[in-house]
Amino acid sequence: MEPETVDIAIVGAGLSGINTAYRVQTQLPHHSYAILESRSDLGGTWGFWKYPGFRTDSSMCLFGFAWRPWPHDMTMAPGPAIKEYMRECAAAEGIDKKIRFGHRVVATSWSSEEQRWTLQIEAAREDGSVEKKVVKAWWVIGASGYYSYEKPLPVTIPGIERFGGKVVHPQFWDESINYAGKKVVIIGSGATAITLLPALAKTAESVTMLQRTPSYVFSLPRKDETATFLSRFMPSSWARQLHWWMRMFAETLFVRFLLTFPRRGRDFVVGEMRKQLPKDFDVDKHFNPWYSPFEQRLCFCPGGDFFKALHRPNARVATDTIDTVTETGILLQSGERLEADMIVTATGLYFSLLSGLSSSVDGESVTDTIGRRYSWNGTMLEGVPNSGLITGYTAATWTPGADVRARQLIKVIKHMDKTGATAAMPYIDPAVRAKMPMKPASTLSSTYMRSAHDRMPKVGDQAPWVSGSSWAVDTWRLVTGSVKSGMKYTFAPKKDI
């Protein structure tokens, strides 16, 4: 059988994939597209994680789609609510009919001779067997996020094999795990740990969050009734759009304040934490990090639930280093012992930009060389034609960043349609490349990000070889930047008549 052919193949049916599909079908209606999703349902991250309390750590006003705003007053929604919202949005726009569930892309290869990508796919049958398929695509857009679903960040925890209780990573949590009445130690201090502690403390005998270094945690209101209030004076659709712009303006100012004035930002965030913690709590030891806000991720919690949990007698934070795990708990280097029936290793994600698939251009591996390629406007890789990577922000709300990068790709494709180009490939003049610094695309100093620097695209010190962390700056570059800068286009040879 002839391989199926589509103009644009989108890999992943999470937030980024659905948003990209919407932008493609509304701005490029003459192009065919399909979303290839390895699992049996949409949702991406929000259909995958199952640990207690799982929720977003961003305001849903911005985390939702700009083209179909979040319709509820809930600020930080739980995973199932986000997944249901995504399902409703996809169905309303007909995007759900374009999703091929159970289609895992295992390899992509570009042929300059064909000016096409060939996608090798493993498609799941109803009987559990796997059918191999081939899809040809003019463009491939990766929208499956930046971490592996199959494996977490590998870490060494001395003596963990001796532990007599249960060890579980949040990435593989399932409903059969029972923590009620048990002594639980959470190893980690990121968004997952901040979410888990108040959720587990409701029924566990005790919960201790064990961190090597202090963290920043900021509280957001549980509800945001701004859109409801504005709806009294204007149509609901206008109110939600205005609300989106208000929140974007507020977030941009907040992030810029913390990055521009790190000392004042630190004082502000630590001061807000101090107000919500118990009076005798050692704030300087546990919540006054050596790094500035957004050097590592700033964690958010709804309605101060994390701080409220620390007022309970069964919840605490320990800032120390593990000496060894014993049969009954954890021995810290300070000599303190943490008794445990369960250890939750919330130690980070494994960075995997292409979701483990093998990619090549004319036989040359892309997968093995990502760490040596520059990123064009944060969304295309140097030397890789007709291919985009959709990622959002790590120092701000994810979705606006994913959206501006999808629109950047569409701007390139529109230029190709206008000029008749068959391929667009980011290209740097060798002389310019030799002088340009090579920095990781993410500046976060979190362990899971630092460990991925050699697998992460690089950025330079001049446009378009930069990857912004601000929606305002990236949108300005989108509007004013040229798709000819740093890009080499290929045109089909003219045929003799």
Side-chain angles (χ1 to χ4, degrees):
M1 295 179 61
E2 288 293 320
E4 179 185 2
T5 300
V6 295
D7 292 338
I8 301 169
I10 300 170
V11 181
L15 269 170
S16 299
I18 291 173
N19 182 74
T20 300
Y22 174 82
R23 294 302 184 191
V24 166
Q25 75 176 24
T26 53
Q27 298 187 36
L28 301 170
H30 52 291
H31 282 298
S32 62
Y33 79 91
I35 303 176
L36 305 172
E37 169 57 51
S38 62
R39 287 182 288 146
S40 60
D41 201 357
L42 55 71
T45 293
W46 307 102
F48 174 72
W49 294 76
K50 307 295 183 186
Y51 65 80
F54 176 56
R55 54 162 174 77
T56 178
D57 60 349
S58 301
S59 170
M60 284 304 303
C61 175
L62 296 180
F63 196 72
F65 302 121
W67 42 272
R68 194 176 181 87
W70 175 248
H72 310 294
D73 293 336
M74 189 188 314
T75 303
M76 300 171 69
I82 299 174
K83 182 178 176 180
E84 183 58 29
Y85 162 72
M86 293 168 62
R87 191 190 309 281
E88 292 172 358
C89 292
E93 300 294 336
I95 295 170
D96 55 340
K97 296 179 176 60
K98 298 289 187 176
I99 305 175
R100 315 286 176 78
F101 293 113
H103 281 54
R104 178 182 296 277
V105 182
V106 296
T108 62
S109 57
W110 169 264
S111 167
S112 293
E113 182 179 353
E114 294 183 29
Q115 296 287 281
R116 285 289 184 276
W117 286 95
T118 298
L119 287 70
Q120 304 292 338
I121 296 169
E122 292 179 351
R125 294 192 178 104
E126 292 184 2
D127 62 1
S129 62
V130 174
E131 174 188 1
K132 294 187 181 298
K133 290 185 177 180
V134 174
V135 171
K136 297 279 188 177
W138 182 42
W139 266 80
V140 174
I141 301 177
S144 54
Y146 66 95
Y147 70 91
S148 169
Y149 288 166
E150 282 73 33
K151 64 178 180 179
L153 178 71
V155 294
T156 300
I157 301 176
I160 192 69
E161 68 282 354
R162 294 201 300 267
F163 184 58
K166 188 174 185 61
V167 178
V168 58
H169 193 285
Q171 193 163 335
F172 307 116
W173 198 289
D174 62 60
E175 296 177 354
S176 67
I177 297 173
N178 179 22
Y179 54 88
K182 295 184 178 180
K183 300 172 185 175
V184 183
V185 175
I186 306 167
I187 302 176
S189 59
T192 303
I194 299 301
T195 302
L196 274 167
L197 184 138
L200 300 183
K202 293 176 181 178
T203 56
E205 178 182 335
S206 66
V207 182
T208 301
M209 188 180 86
L210 173 59
Q211 57 182 13
R212 286 185 301 179
T213 56
S215 304
Y216 292 111
V217 185
F218 197 80
S219 179
L220 292 178
R222 280 192 176 275
K223 289 189 175 183
D224 184 350
E225 298 180 349
T226 305
T228 302
F229 174 77
L230 292 173
S231 295
R232 299 176 184 177
F233 312 101
M234 62 185 72
S236 178
S237 59
W238 293 12
R240 296 204 176 276
Q241 287 296 330
L242 178 57
H243 184 211
W244 189 93
W245 282 100
M246 291 169 64
R247 286 291 163 230
M248 177 55 71
F249 181 71
E251 178 177 278
T252 301
L253 285 183
F254 180 68
V255 173
R256 183 50 49 194
F257 166 70
L258 294 182
L259 293 176
T260 306
F261 306 102
R263 182 173 298 178
R264 291 185 180 180
R266 171 199 293 269
D267 292 343
F268 172 70
V269 175
V270 173
E272 290 299 304
M273 289 192 289
R274 196 180 300 274
K275 293 176 185 177
Q276 299 174 80
L277 288 164
K279 291 184 179 180
D280 58 348
F281 197 91
D282 192 341
V283 178
D284 289 332
K285 178 179 180 181
H286 301 298
F287 293 106
N288 193 6
W290 57 266
Y291 56 86
S292 298
F294 286 127
E295 283 185 25
Q296 296 186 19
R297 286 195 70 180
L298 174 63
C299 298
F300 292 89
C301 64
D305 66 347
F306 175 76
F307 300 110
K308 290 175 181 176
L310 292 176
H311 284 265
R312 300 170 63 109
N314 68 332
R316 61 173 295 222
V317 173
T319 303
D320 208 329
T321 304
I322 296 173
D323 181 75
T324 188
V325 176
T326 67
E327 290 185 2
T328 59
I330 299 176
L331 174 64
L332 305 177
Q333 289 193 355
S334 64
E336 181 182 3
R337 292 180 181 272
L338 302 178
E339 296 299 317
D341 303 310
M342 177 186 295
I343 294 176
V344 182
T345 54
T347 48
L349 307 169
Y350 182 77
F351 186 93
S352 180
L353 199 56
L354 296 179
S355 297
L357 65 82
S358 173
S359 182
S360 63
V361 173
D362 293 330
E364 179 186 351
S365 174
V366 173
T367 309
D368 297 337
T369 57
I370 288 179
R372 299 194 295 274
R373 297 177 187 266
Y374 283 97
S375 173
W376 183 88
N377 281 319
T379 194
M380 292 182 73
L381 291 176
E382 172 196 8
V384 183
N386 293 18
S387 178
L389 289 170
I390 305 298
T391 56
Y393 298 131
T394 53
T397 303
W398 175 274
T399 314
D403 184 52
V404 75
R405 284 158 187 168
R407 290 158 58 205
Q408 184 71 258
L409 290 178
I410 287 171
K411 187 177 179 180
V412 173
I413 297 173
K414 283 184 174 180
H415 178 76
M416 296 173 70
D417 288 342
K418 181 180 179 180
T419 60
T422 57
M425 183 184 73
Y427 172 80
I428 311 177
D429 182 273
V432 175
R433 197 181 198 280
K435 297 178 182 179
M436 192 153 48
M438 185 171 276
K439 301 176 291 186
S442 173
T443 59
L444 290 182
S445 60
S446 306
T447 301
Y448 78 99
M449 280 296 186
R450 288 202 315 270
S451 67
H453 280 178
D454 62 335
R455 292 175 279 117
M456 191 180 293
K458 299 302 184 287
V459 296
D461 57 358
Q462 57 185 284
W465 311 106
V466 290
S467 180
S469 58
S470 164
W471 180 84
V473 172
D474 284 346
T475 300
W476 176 255
R477 288 185 182 134
L478 169 67
V479 173
T480 63
S482 171
V483 292
K484 297 179 182 179
S485 176
M487 191 74 70
K488 181 181 288 187
Y489 291 92
T490 301
F491 298 87
K494 293 183 179 180
K495 296 182 180 179
D496 296 331
I497 299 176

